[in-house]
Amino acid sequence: MNYKKIQMPREVHIGSDVINETGKICQDLKIDGNLLVVTGKNTLKIGAKIAIESLEELNYSVDLVQITEASQNAIKKVEDKSSDVSLILGVGGGKIIDVAKMAAKNKDTYFMSVPTAASHDGIASPLASIKDAKGSVSLTAQSPIGVIADTNIIRNAPFRLLASGCADIVSNYTAIKDWQLAQRLQNEGYSESAAALSLMTAKLIIKSSNSIKEGLEESARLVVKSLFSSGMAISIAGSSRPASGSEHKFSHALDRIAKKPALHGEQCGIGAIMMMNLHGGDWKFIRNALKDMKAPTNAYELEIDPDDIIEALISAHKIRPERYTILGDRGLSRDAAKKLAVKTGVI
Ligand SMILES: NC(=O)C1=CN([C@@H]2O[C@H](COP(=O)(O)OP(=O)(O)OC[C@H]3O[C@@H](n4cnc5c(N)ncnc54)[C@H](O)[C@@H]3O)[C@@H](O)[C@H]2O)C=CC1
Ligand SMILES: O=C(CO)COP(=O)(O)O
Ligand SMILES: [Zn+2]
């Protein structure tokens, strides 16, 4: 029998100042024993300290570890402090959440996702994108037992992070086109329901883009719910296929090439403009959607050297080569890459 396991969060808590309920949420989930909070320098005071206070008020013993990148070393650092913990909480951006998620999986303990920004769709997904020598791609981790998304913290984060989360969702358009192409050319397994959820989430966020405003709690709530849905599409598919195709290959390649990469979602959005053109689709629709969301649509806005855009386009196909996309096995030639980036206004 070929069984399929679909893992999803048990509870999702979204609301203003909900982070103050972290202790109560853990108690209601019958979690006891020692806990570990993983965070970063910025997000310690933004969210982790409040979560820790809430836990200690209910007599939880809480340890803390700070990390700076989503790498195996960072995972090891967390694991070294997780010997007898019953829950690891990741309080921060995507990198913090991925490291906490992976460490919890490796230590066979629960993971709680506490996003402090709505900047990516990994807040509820069962995968973790961890940097390695070949460039980061997502590994199988585990779904959070719960998500605590404080919309007051999220709405006060730099708007750029919210726009980046929206762009990460818009990039689902080309991820689905690549998945459909792989199904036609390679007979790759394809989930209609995961694809439909991924695409519907992208369509909805584009439809609402004019109401996504800086500092608005309802905007934060809307984007968090969309990021959650995109993560559920990943859960249903059992892989990042519904949300990661050639545009993500481009972004992961750029992470390796650029001196100072931009935000993940920003890079994926620009990748989607160019990959939609390669698919012969309506790339101007993608570009205009990103403009409406105030997400970057070119190298200048990304603050990335145009030469790095070309280099990333030329090497993108080498990222996760087993995942077939419009880039094919040989990728773009230098001339074709330049032509594509110029034609779509990216450089
Ligand atoms: N596991 C999955 O399914 C997915 C994982 N990812 C991964 O997530 C990462 C991207 O996540 P990002 O959050 O874009 O990057 P990030 O984790 O580097 O965070 C971006 C910056 O925002 C700051 N920040 C976070 N919350 C803040 C707040 N409230 N106020 C001010 N600053 C705040 C962080 O300190 C950091 O400096 C990538 O590594 C990507 O591969 C992305 C999508 C899906
Ligand atoms: O970023 C992701 C989905 O938005 C995860 O994608 P990867 O599998 O390419 O890391
Ligand atoms: Zn992404």
Side-chain angles (χ1 to χ4, degrees), residues 72-85:
Q72 290 298 345
N73 287 342
I75 292 170
K76 176 84 178 56
K77 185 178 173 187
V78 174
E79 287 176 18
D80 291 347
K81 297 196 77 167
S82 316
S83 41
D84 65 341
V85 297

Side-chain angles (χ1 to χ4, degrees), residues 317-332:
H317 66 289
K318 294 178 190 153
I319 301 277
R320 193 195 264 133
E322 71 283 2
R323 181 166 288 188
Y324 194 81
T325 70
I326 193 71
L327 293 167
D329 296 326
R330 292 171 50 196
L332 289 166

Side-chain angles (χ1 to χ4, degrees), residues 98 120-122 125 127-130 136-139 168-169 171-172 230 234 239-245 247-249 252 264 268 319-320 323:
D98 277 350
H120 64 95
D121 56 5
S125 86
L127 307 179
S129 299
I130 302 298
S136 57
V137 287
S138 53
L139 308 171
D168 201 11
I169 294 170
S171 78
N172 291 2
S230 195
I234 294 172
S239 90
S240 60
R241 254 295 186 187
S244 172
E247 78 298 325
H248 272 66
K249 289 181 180 236
H252 294 320
H264 167 83
C268 293
I319 301 277
R320 193 195 264 133
R323 181 166 288 188

Side-chain angles (χ1 to χ4, degrees), residues 6-27:
I6 296 179
Q7 213 189 37
M8 295 191 164
R10 195 184 306 173
E11 292 183 359
V12 180
H13 299 262
I14 304 178
S16 201
D17 301 328
V18 72
I19 199 167
N20 296 292
E21 301 304 309
T22 301
K24 177 92 176 52
I25 292 165
C26 290
Q27 210 172 48

Side-chain angles (χ1 to χ4, degrees), residues 159-346:
F159 182 75
R160 184 181 169 206
L161 291 166
L162 195 74
S164 180
C166 295
D168 201 11
I169 294 170
V170 169
S171 78
N172 291 2
Y173 270 93
T174 42
I176 296 299
K177 281 206 171 283
D178 284 318
W179 197 8
Q180 290 166 340
L181 180 68
Q183 185 199 22
R184 289 195 300 274
L185 295 185
Q186 310 273 320
N187 195 34
E188 182 178 321
Y190 178 81
S191 160
E192 291 289 353
S193 44
L197 179 57
S198 167
L199 221 38
M200 180 206 68
T201 306
K203 285 180 179 156
L204 278 176
I205 202 84
I206 290 177
K207 206 166 130 223
S208 329
S209 55
N210 290 327
S211 60
I212 296 173
K213 300 252 184 301
E214 183 158 9
L216 280 191
E217 198 271 346
E218 48 271 36
S219 300
R221 192 181 286 262
L222 170 77
V223 178
V224 165
K225 285 192 278 189
S226 304
L227 293 172
F228 172 74
S229 303
S230 195
M232 289 309 93
I234 294 172
S235 287
I236 294 166
S239 90
S240 60
R241 254 295 186 187
S244 172
S246 49
E247 78 298 325
H248 272 66
K249 289 181 180 236
F250 164 74
S251 174
H252 294 320
L254 203 49
D255 283 342
R256 292 169 60 200
I257 291 164
K259 270 185 292 307
K260 190 173 174 302
L263 290 174
H264 167 83
E266 293 176 333
Q267 294 181 164
C268 293
I270 286 188
I273 295 174
M274 296 188 284
M275 299 307 154
M276 187 56 95
N277 179 278
L278 285 185
H279 274 287
D282 187 352
W283 61 273
K284 289 182 180 165
F285 167 76
I286 299 290
R287 186 185 62 179
N288 294 340
L290 293 170
K291 276 189 189 301
D292 288 348
M293 297 164 175
K294 302 180 187 57
T297 58
N298 58 52
Y300 172 75
E301 290 170 348
L302 267 189
E303 297 181 347
I304 294 273
D305 186 325
D307 291 341
D308 291 346
I309 298 282
I310 303 294
E311 291 309 320
L313 282 172
I314 293 168
S315 62
H317 66 289
K318 294 178 190 153
I319 301 277
R320 193 195 264 133
E322 71 283 2
R323 181 166 288 188
Y324 194 81
T325 70
I326 193 71
L327 293 167
D329 296 326
R330 292 171 50 196
L332 289 166
S333 69
R334 184 169 297 278
D335 290 350
K338 196 163 169 16
K339 217 166 121 198
L340 174 64
V342 168
K343 185 168 46 172
T344 51
V346 170

